[in-house]
Amino acid sequence: MKKIHMVDVVSEYNKYSEQINERIQNVLNSGVYIQGSEVQQLEQELSVFLNSKYTITCGNGTDALCLALMALDLKQGDEVILPPFTFVSTIEAVCLLGLKPVFVDVQCDSFLLDPELIEQKISNNTKVILPVHLFGQCCNMKHIKLIAKKYNLFIIEDAAQSIGAQCFYNKDAKNMKCSGTIGDIGITSFYPSKNLGCYGDGGAVFTQNKKLAHRIRLLANHGQEKKYVHKIVGFNSRLDALQATILRFKLSILNKSNKKRRKVAAEYNHILKSIEWITTPVESACSDHVYHQYSIILSSNIDRDKFQKFLLNAGIPTMIYYPIPLHQQQPYKHFSNEPLPVSEMLSQHIISLPMHPELEIEQIHFICDVIKKYI
Ligand SMILES: *Cc1c(COP(=O)(O)O)cnc(C)c1O
């Protein structure tokens, strides 16, 4: 049996190395290394794939969040509602721009922002709701959109972990939309381990609004409308052509690899659901799931450290996403004055198992057999 990895970008590369190497060689020969036609074509292909009017690529997902917030012309102290149970980028962008993060806890079955808890946190200063489509499935966007409309708030979707997931507005399939295209602005990351990953840093911003798209494009490229004509204060956050050409190939296999992830999850679910000290991940009724992570909850009587060591000794890596919720992290503690019990519970008892499209059935069965032997 092959060695088990948490994510396995090398096996994927080896499988497609001929096509990818040829693309890389072509870019090297072209002499166009930043932006250029590869980047333009990737943006068009992403727009078609997601059914999004505008796609602007940029340096990474954190920059994408900053660009989205900058584009909305907010003022210092404006409030942004976000979950405490997410990767740190989400709050970094808010704080770097002088905005105030306001935490709303997540649902314990889906790990996603709980729409029922949003309204009580809305103040006169609230300007943005920033839902994070964590681990590969979308938040309840229908509910969140209703709240945003009622209070006249912007929505920025963090779709860094959910690219390719579809969000159901209701049971009518015609109302399905891709994650990242439902709010005013959506963002994603092309970090190598993401579902659509490149071989370096990369990110993108999506919007359906022409003015916002124009502004984001200027912001990401020195405020330039034409070369050396600067319309606004911008900075430099661009995608390079090598990453773009790799992403164009990866995009062509994204549906296939997301499907493979769902198969892996189904196999895990099938075997693990009978173990009474494990809660397998719940698929939301609002969204399909592209399993960026496969995360289980251990009963409170299970020592997670011991369990993790036990698996590691058998050659099975695992990860804790996320061991400390944001409202308990040093730089962000002072933004919260109350417990956020679901995020706190999840950070204590959650553990993510190996999940990637190259995981083989034999490996999944081995992982589950070892888990069954614990206790
Ligand atoms: C990965 C990630 C980001 C940002 O990613 P970069 O590493 O900056 O590209 C933002 N939000 C979430 C939820 C993420 O998982």
Side-chain angles (χ1 to χ4, degrees):
M1 190 178 67
K2 268 187 3 191
K3 186 172 168 359
I4 297 174
H5 299 277
M6 194 65 200
V7 289
D8 194 358
V9 287
V10 176
S11 286
E12 193 188 60
Y13 168 66
N14 286 333
K15 194 162 152 187
Y16 300 112
S17 60
E18 235 173 85
Q19 290 104 305
I20 292 173
N21 289 350
E22 191 187 332
R23 286 176 163 271
I24 290 173
Q25 200 56 57
N26 287 342
V27 169
L28 291 177
N29 290 334
S30 78
V32 179
Y33 302 141
I34 301 228
Q35 295 190 316
S37 76
E38 285 292 334
V39 171
Q40 267 173 19
Q41 287 179 79
L42 171 67
E43 290 180 347
Q44 277 163 17
E45 286 161 11
L46 279 166
S47 286
V48 170
F49 181 85
L50 298 172
N51 195 15
S52 169
K53 279 210 180 102
Y54 305 98
T55 299
I56 302 102
T57 54
C58 63
N60 57 66
T62 312
D63 280 0
L65 281 161
C66 287
L67 287 164
L69 288 163
M70 288 162 89
L72 294 180
D73 245 338
L74 305 169
K75 60 179 193 307
Q76 296 259 316
D78 280 349
E79 293 176 7
V80 180
I81 286 176
L82 51 76
F85 193 68
T86 175
F87 183 60
V88 70
S89 287
T90 318
I91 196 167
E92 276 173 336
V94 171
C95 292
L96 282 171
L97 293 172
L99 307 168
K100 186 180 166 204
V102 173
F103 296 112
V104 166
D105 211 352
V106 296
Q107 295 167 317
C108 82
D109 54 354
S110 69
F111 321 138
L112 301 170
L113 191 68
D114 189 342
E116 300 289 345
L117 304 177
I118 292 176
E119 285 197 73
Q120 65 200 63
K121 292 293 182 72
I122 290 175
S123 78
N124 289 334
N125 297 323
T126 308
K127 293 288 151 57
V128 181
I129 306 177
L130 206 169
V132 179
H133 303 319
L134 200 73
F135 298 160
Q137 64 184 345
C138 303
C139 299
N140 186 338
M141 292 308 291
K142 190 179 173 194
H143 195 156
I144 292 171
K145 275 202 102 154
L146 284 174
I147 297 170
K149 198 167 176 200
K150 182 169 165 193
Y151 295 92
N152 198 22
L153 308 175
F154 293 110
I155 297 174
I156 298 176
E157 297 173 74
D158 184 337
Q161 301 188 3
S162 66
I163 197 86
Q166 305 258 347
C167 183
F168 305 100
Y169 268 86
N170 54 32
K171 291 198 187 74
D172 186 351
K174 269 188 292 196
N175 283 322
M176 247 163 49
K177 285 192 183 180
C178 285
S179 73
T181 68
I182 302 153
D184 297 278
I185 306 179
I187 71 97
T188 200
S189 160
F190 302 130
Y191 185 80
S193 65
K194 299 280 154 91
N195 289 36
L196 179 58
C198 56
Y199 296 158
D201 273 313
V205 186
F206 312 107
T207 182
Q208 315 313 310
N209 178 309
K210 191 175 177 182
K211 274 197 184 134
L212 285 175
H214 181 67
R215 195 169 155 77
I216 291 162
R217 208 172 269 295
L218 294 196
L219 284 166
N221 192 20
H222 303 299
Q224 287 185 149
E225 215 153 46
K226 282 190 296 205
K227 213 167 170 76
Y228 307 123
V229 181
H230 308 280
K231 289 283 171 180
I232 54 174
V233 178
F235 66 116
N236 170 8
S237 182
R238 299 175 301 220
L239 191 68
D240 63 66
L242 285 170
Q243 303 309 338
T245 201
I246 292 160
L247 286 165
R248 289 184 63 203
F249 176 74
K250 293 283 208 86
L251 182 62
S252 75
I253 59 166
L254 180 61
N255 277 338
K256 197 165 110 188
S257 64
N258 279 345
K259 212 165 149 189
K260 187 75 203 298
R261 286 171 183 270
R262 277 200 281 272
K263 266 196 164 152
V264 172
E267 195 61 28
Y268 272 138
N269 282 338
H270 178 66
I271 307 172
L272 299 179
K273 70 171 190 275
S274 62
I275 302 178
E276 86 277 11
W277 48 275
I278 285 177
T279 307
T280 52
V282 172
E283 296 198 0
S284 154
C286 313
S287 169
D288 61 2
H289 204 320
V290 294
Y291 286 100
H292 177 59
Q293 298 297 341
Y294 183 88
S295 306
I296 58 175
I297 308 293
L298 304 176
S299 295
S300 52
N301 60 323
I302 303 292
D303 182 331
R304 185 174 60 182
D305 286 347
K306 262 195 188 158
F307 177 67
Q308 195 171 24
K309 279 195 192 106
F310 177 81
L311 293 182
L312 194 60
N313 283 336
I316 302 167
T318 53
M319 290 290 278
I320 309 300
Y321 301 115
Y322 295 93
I324 308 172
L326 296 180
H327 68 289
Q328 294 180 333
Q329 299 272 7
Q330 195 57 46
Y332 311 114
K333 263 183 191 163
H334 64 285
F335 292 116
S336 177
N337 48 14
E338 58 180 18
L340 295 156
V342 178
S343 295
E344 288 162 26
M345 181 281 286
L346 290 175
S347 65
Q348 295 296 311
H349 300 295
I350 202 162
I351 184 165
S352 300
L353 302 180
M355 168 53 81
H356 55 80
E358 302 305 312
L359 207 62
E360 291 164 3
I361 195 91
E362 183 192 12
Q363 295 177 306
I364 303 169
H365 288 169
F366 174 76
I367 294 167
C368 293
D369 285 343
V370 173
I371 290 175
K372 278 186 190 157
K373 286 194 196 110
Y374 189 74
I375 302 188

